[in-house]
Amino acid sequence: MENQIDLIPSRNGELNIQYCGKTLYSRYNPSGSAEKLAGSIILKSRTIYLIPSPLLGYGLLSILNILPEDSILVGIEINQEIMAVTAPYIHRFQDQKRCQIYRLDDALSLYKVFNSINDGSYRSCRLLPLNSGYQLHKNKYDSLFSSLEHFLQNYWRNRLTSVKLGKLWIKNLLTNLSDSEGRGINQFKTNKAVILTGAGESLEKTIQLINESRNDFFILAVDTAIQTLVRSGIYPDGVVNLEAQFHNLKDFYSLSGQEVRQFADMTAYPASLRSFKGDRYYFSSRFGTCALVDRLTKSELLAPEIPALGSVGVTALYVAGEITDGPIFMSGLDFSYLPGKSHAKESPFHDWSRLKENRLSGDRWYAFTSSRPGIRTPGKNNTQNLITNPVLAGYGKQLKDMANLMERSVFDLAERGLDLNIPRASHQEALELAHSFNRDEQKTSHISEQTDKRSRIHHFLKEELNRLERLIALWNSINNNEEEPENLLPLLKECDYIYFHFPDTGILPNTAPAFLVRAVQSARYYRRLISNLLINFHRPS
C-alpha cells in the first residue's frame, strides 16, 4: 500500500515531500520556489512571523539572514504525520531567540507558545506561507493566525488597561485565592450537550426550545443573559463570570438564594462570586507577566490557565468546550443589534432603559442604541438590517476562529446576528444531536481535590506577607541610612505585583526615589490586604 507521505527526489535532486500523491514543493526546484517567496518579503521589526507548515525548512534560512534582531519566526505544523517525517530536517533551524518550530493544532497550545516567546517587545504578527503544506489545512492555519493576532491585541490591551485595573486584578486574585472551597475548571464535566446563551436579541427565539427541553441540555449563561433566562422560568446550570469590577454585580441578583454552578476567572469581582450559592470553578487568564502568578503556578494553586480572550462571550465558548465533550449550541451571541434594541428583553440593560423612561425623555432604549456609532450590516441570510461596530465584529471573528479550532462540534441556534460561518442547527436538529450524545449515567463528575489545599493556600499567603514585611523593613533601614537602595531591588523583583499597575515608561524596578516611595506605599497596601485575608482564613484543625 502506498504511503500517505513520502520524501521523494525532485528533478534537480533536492528532496521534496509528497502527501497523498501531491507534491508540496515545486517539482523542478523545491528550494528555489520557497527562496523566491522568502526573498519577496519585506521584514519589519518587533514582529512575530508565523510560518504555517515549514516542512523541510526551505526558505527559512533566507528569512533568518535578514530577520531583524527584535523579530522572531514561529513555525507550526498541524499534521502529525508530516511533522514526524520533517522533524529531522527542520531541527537545524531551531533557535530559542530567532526561530522556534512546534507541532500544534489548537488555540490553547498556541497561547502557551505565545506566552513563552512574548516579552512585551512584539507589536505585530504576520502569516508567511512558503509552500503548499499551508493549503492542506488552510482554514485551521488561518484561524490559528487570527487567534495569534487576538492574543497580541489582548496583551497590549491588558497592558494599557493595567494602569487602571492592575491593582484590582491583583487584589481580586489574592482574595479569590483564599476561597479554598473553589475548584479548578478542569474538575467539572457534564455528560450533556451545552447551550451557551448570551444576552443578544436572538436569545428570545431560543427560550422556547430551552423551556420545552430543559433536561436535555446543560444551560451555560454569560452574566448578562441570566436575568432574561430566570424571568422566563429557566435557571441556568452554570454561569460564566469574567468581570473584575462591580459593574456586573446586578446581573446576578436574580440568582440570589439559588444553587447554580459558577465558572469564574480568578480576577473576577469577589462579591459577585459570592452573591449566590453553588459550586465555584475557577480558571485564570493571564493579564500580564508577574512573579506572583509564576509562584502560584509553581505551587499548583493557580487555576487552570486559558487564553486571555477579552470578551465574556468568547471566553464562555472556551469554557463550554472544557466542560463537555459533546456538541455546543449558541444563542444570543449576536455581536450586533437591531436598530433601537441592543439586548434581549428582560436583560439588565432593558430594565435600566425602562427605569430611565419618563414623559420627557421618551424611549431611552431606542434613543441609546440609535445614538451609538455603528456600521450597518445585513446579518445572517442577508435579510436583516443590523448594526455592529469594529469591537463587536472583532469579538465575533474571534468567536468564529475559536469555534473552528475546537475539537467538538459547535452550532448556531440564532436566527439573527452577524454571520459567523458557524453551522446552523434548527431546534429539532439540536434535540437530535443532544439525544445522540447525552449519557444516562452520572450527570457530572468531580476530580477529588488534594486534602491539604487550605493549608497550602494559608502557607502561600503567609510567605507573600513575609516578603512584603522584609521589603518594608529594608526600606525603613534605607531611610535610616543603614542600607543602600540597591539592596532593595531583589525583593522588588520578587514582589513586582506591587508596581504592576504603575504607568512608568522606564525600566522597573529602579532606585529612583519617586518610584521607591510609590512602590513601598503599594507594598503597605498589599500587606494590609493579605493580613486581613489571613485573619479571616481559618486553617483546618
Side-chain angles (χ1 to χ4, degrees), residues 488-536:
L488 198 59
L489 293 179
L491 271 174
L492 284 169
K493 290 178 181 178
E494 286 187 41
C495 302
D496 59 356
Y497 60 92
I498 66 176
Y499 52 87
F500 174 77
H501 59 287
F502 285 8
D504 304 48
T505 56
I507 297 175
L508 299 181
N510 56 51
T511 57
F515 165 75
L516 292 178
V517 169
R518 287 178 294 135
V520 174
Q521 183 180 20
S522 180
R524 292 184 176 122
Y525 166 81
Y526 285 111
R527 180 177 64 175
R528 290 193 302 272
L529 172 66
I530 297 177
S531 295
N532 289 334
L533 290 175
L534 286 169
I535 290 171
N536 296 318

Side-chain angles (χ1 to χ4, degrees), residues 21 74 124 151 200 235 248 261 324 358 388 392 396 423 483 511:
V74 177
S124 62
F151 296 157
Y235 283 91
N248 71 336
R261 299 174 190 88
T324 185
N358 57 54
T388 188
L392 290 175
E483 295 279 356
T511 57

Side-chain angles (χ1 to χ4, degrees), residues 50-224:
L50 195 67
I51 312 294
S53 193
L55 297 183
L56 299 174
Y58 296 147
L60 291 184
L61 190 59
S62 295
I63 297 176
L64 285 170
N65 287 336
I66 58 174
L67 185 71
E69 290 294 328
D70 54 0
S71 293
I72 189 172
L73 296 184
V74 177
I76 55 173
E77 178 58 65
I78 286 177
N79 192 298
Q80 180 65 57
E81 292 178 314
I82 291 178
M83 188 66 176
V85 171
T86 61
Y89 299 91
I90 58 176
H91 177 72
R92 61 194 177 96
F93 296 104
Q94 290 272 23
D95 183 319
Q96 187 65 25
K97 292 185 177 180
R98 308 200 69 207
C99 181
Q100 299 183 30
I101 299 173
Y102 302 89
R103 214 300 298 174
L104 58 85
D105 59 4
D106 63 279
L108 181 59
S109 297
L110 182 61
Y111 181 68
K112 291 177 179 177
V113 169
F114 172 73
N115 280 338
S116 70
I117 65 172
N118 182 43
D119 58 1
S121 61
Y122 304 117
R123 294 284 185 170
S124 62
C125 55
R126 183 178 174 186
L127 186 68
L128 296 182
L130 296 177
N131 54 67
S132 296
Y134 164 65
Q135 297 295 333
L136 296 177
H137 306 281
K138 184 179 183 301
N139 288 339
K140 271 209 164 185
Y141 281 124
D142 288 344
S143 293
L144 284 169
F145 175 69
S146 183
S147 295
L148 179 63
E149 287 184 306
H150 290 304
F151 296 157
L152 194 58
Q153 290 168 4
N154 286 335
Y155 171 81
W156 286 109
R157 189 180 292 119
N158 283 342
R159 282 286 296 270
L160 293 172
T161 309
S162 66
V163 175
K164 179 180 179 181
L165 294 181
K167 189 174 182 179
L168 182 61
W169 288 336
I170 299 295
K171 176 186 176 183
N172 291 351
L173 174 62
L174 290 169
T175 303
N176 292 331
L177 175 65
S178 64
D179 176 18
S180 59
E181 299 301 318
R183 303 179 175 93
I185 192 177
N186 60 337
Q187 294 179 285
F188 177 82
K189 277 285 186 182
T190 177
N191 291 322
K192 292 183 178 181
V194 170
I195 289 185
L196 172 59
T197 61
E201 189 270 344
S202 66
L203 175 61
E204 296 174 12
K205 296 281 187 178
T206 312
I207 293 293
Q208 181 180 354
L209 166 67
I210 300 175
N211 264 322
E212 292 175 352
S213 311
R214 177 64 186 83
N215 295 325
D216 294 311
F217 298 94
F218 183 95
I219 311 302
L220 182 65
V222 304
D223 46 12
T224 51

